[in-house]
Amino acid sequence: MNRQAIVLLLTLITAFGAAHGHADANSMPSSAKKRSYYEERGDIVWEVPTDNKVIALTFDDGPHKEHTAQILNLLQQYDARATFFVVGSRVEKFPELVARALDEGHEIGNHSYSHPPFYNIGADALRKELTKTQDAIYQAAGIRSVLFRPPGGRYNDAIVSASKETGMLTVLWSWHQDTLDWRKPGVNAIVRTVLKNARNGDIVLMHDFVPGSDQTVEALKTILPELKERGFSFVTVSELLSYHEKSHKHIEVND
């Protein structure tokens, strides 16, 4: 991602937050804050409402020497872009895969350095996890991510704040698009989850690092051509955010 693209994305992220309003981060205890609180503020993204037939495939926990490469091959075959939320310690092992993904038009997101239980670690340790991964991504591909996905999808004020302080937007996934592929549920189960629930603006959760399982790779061999046949375009999360911004501008113009 070049400097101009990064500036554009940061502008979109700022606009996304502004469009959802602002509130006092200390106005209520974290335990009482539900999805709607963070979503309305634009602090966390689960999906992007849009009339456009676009969908964002995301892959967590990699890179994996074999599976990430196989997924990249499939994405290339179907002219699909995706977002890879990478673990910093694994980026250091396979930097060439991160560089390849970026070169082929995909997006790299931050998924912590060691994949710890984020909800319970201290603020300093949390920030260290993010910055070490940012540094690993930079060493591998020459960019720093603007997107962060907390391990396990856990979130609170401290996690959101650390993400912002590191220059990133927190991104989760559409609740109806959690494939649970890390549990190795079977290829057909992964396929059914994605195809049965596919909606415009979805963010789909999958993993390119699942030890001892190639189910995600095999499922993509059905998911990609079927969604393409239905008219979906496969975009990165940042590209998906731009569809939200287009919709927001359209509403403003017609008000």
Side-chain angles (χ1 to χ4, degrees):
M1 183 180 293
N2 59 35
R3 184 179 297 274
Q4 183 178 7
I6 292 173
V7 171
L8 175 59
L9 176 56
L10 289 174
T11 301
L12 289 170
I13 289 173
T14 301
F16 189 92
H20 288 78
H22 296 279
D24 179 5
N26 298 313
S27 61
M28 58 194 301
S30 294
S31 60
K33 294 177 183 176
K34 305 300 182 183
R35 167 174 170 168
S36 59
Y37 172 80
Y38 293 101
E39 196 165 36
E40 288 168 4
R41 290 164 51 90
D43 283 343
I44 302 177
V45 176
W46 278 266
E47 59 227 350
V48 176
T50 177
D51 292 331
N52 298 89
K53 216 167 180 61
V54 289
I55 194 165
L57 303 180
T58 67
F59 301 90
D60 287 10
D61 295 358
H64 182 280
K65 185 176 182 179
E66 296 176 359
H67 298 159
T68 303
Q70 291 169 344
I71 288 170
L72 287 170
N73 291 341
L74 285 167
L75 293 171
Q76 188 174 54
Q77 180 181 345
Y78 291 99
D79 192 27
R81 287 183 295 277
T83 300
F84 292 83
F85 286 95
V86 297
V87 173
S89 60
R90 293 177 188 141
V91 172
E92 292 174 347
K93 293 180 180 179
F94 307 108
E96 70 283 356
L97 288 171
V98 177
R100 177 189 166 184
L102 192 68
D103 287 344
E104 293 181 1
H106 306 294
E107 183 166 31
I108 306 301
N110 187 318
H111 194 46
S112 81
Y113 185 81
S114 61
H115 207 280
F118 246 56
Y119 208 73
N120 298 316
I121 70 174
D124 289 342
L126 195 159
R127 283 190 291 270
K128 186 176 181 180
E129 283 280 333
L130 299 187
T131 55
K132 284 185 70 176
T133 303
Q134 292 290 69
D135 291 344
I137 293 170
Y138 185 81
Q139 289 298 317
I143 60 103
R144 286 185 170 84
S145 178
V146 293
L147 303 177
F148 169 62
R149 174 173 285 165
R154 303 298 297 273
Y155 57 90
N156 58 20
D157 284 349
I159 292 171
V160 169
S161 294
S163 178
K164 286 182 177 180
E165 289 169 9
T166 321
M168 295 184 290
L169 174 68
T170 302
V171 175
L172 295 181
W173 55 85
S174 304
W175 282 348
H176 55 279
Q177 286 289 11
D178 184 352
T179 63
L180 299 174
D181 57 346
W182 59 274
R183 292 183 179 175
K184 306 175 187 177
V187 173
N188 290 338
I190 297 170
V191 170
R192 280 197 304 271
T193 295
V194 178
L195 296 185
K196 181 180 178 180
N197 299 309
R199 306 173 189 171
N200 297 352
D202 276 355
I203 297 176
V204 181
L205 173 62
M206 292 182 280
H207 296 75
D208 56 332
F209 182 87
V210 181
S213 173
D214 62 355
Q215 291 180 6
T216 302
V217 175
E218 292 302 312
L220 283 170
K221 294 177 181 179
T222 299
I223 291 168
L224 286 166
E226 174 60 27
L227 288 181
K228 190 168 185 177
E229 178 67 22
R230 295 183 191 180
F232 280 97
S233 294
F234 303 98
V235 298
T236 66
V237 169
S238 292
E239 289 170 333
L240 193 63
L241 288 172
S242 74
Y243 281 91
H244 170 87
E245 176 64 7
K246 291 172 186 175
S247 298
H248 182 61
K249 288 180 178 178
H250 178 75
I251 292 171
E252 289 182 337
V253 168
N254 287 280
D255 279 350

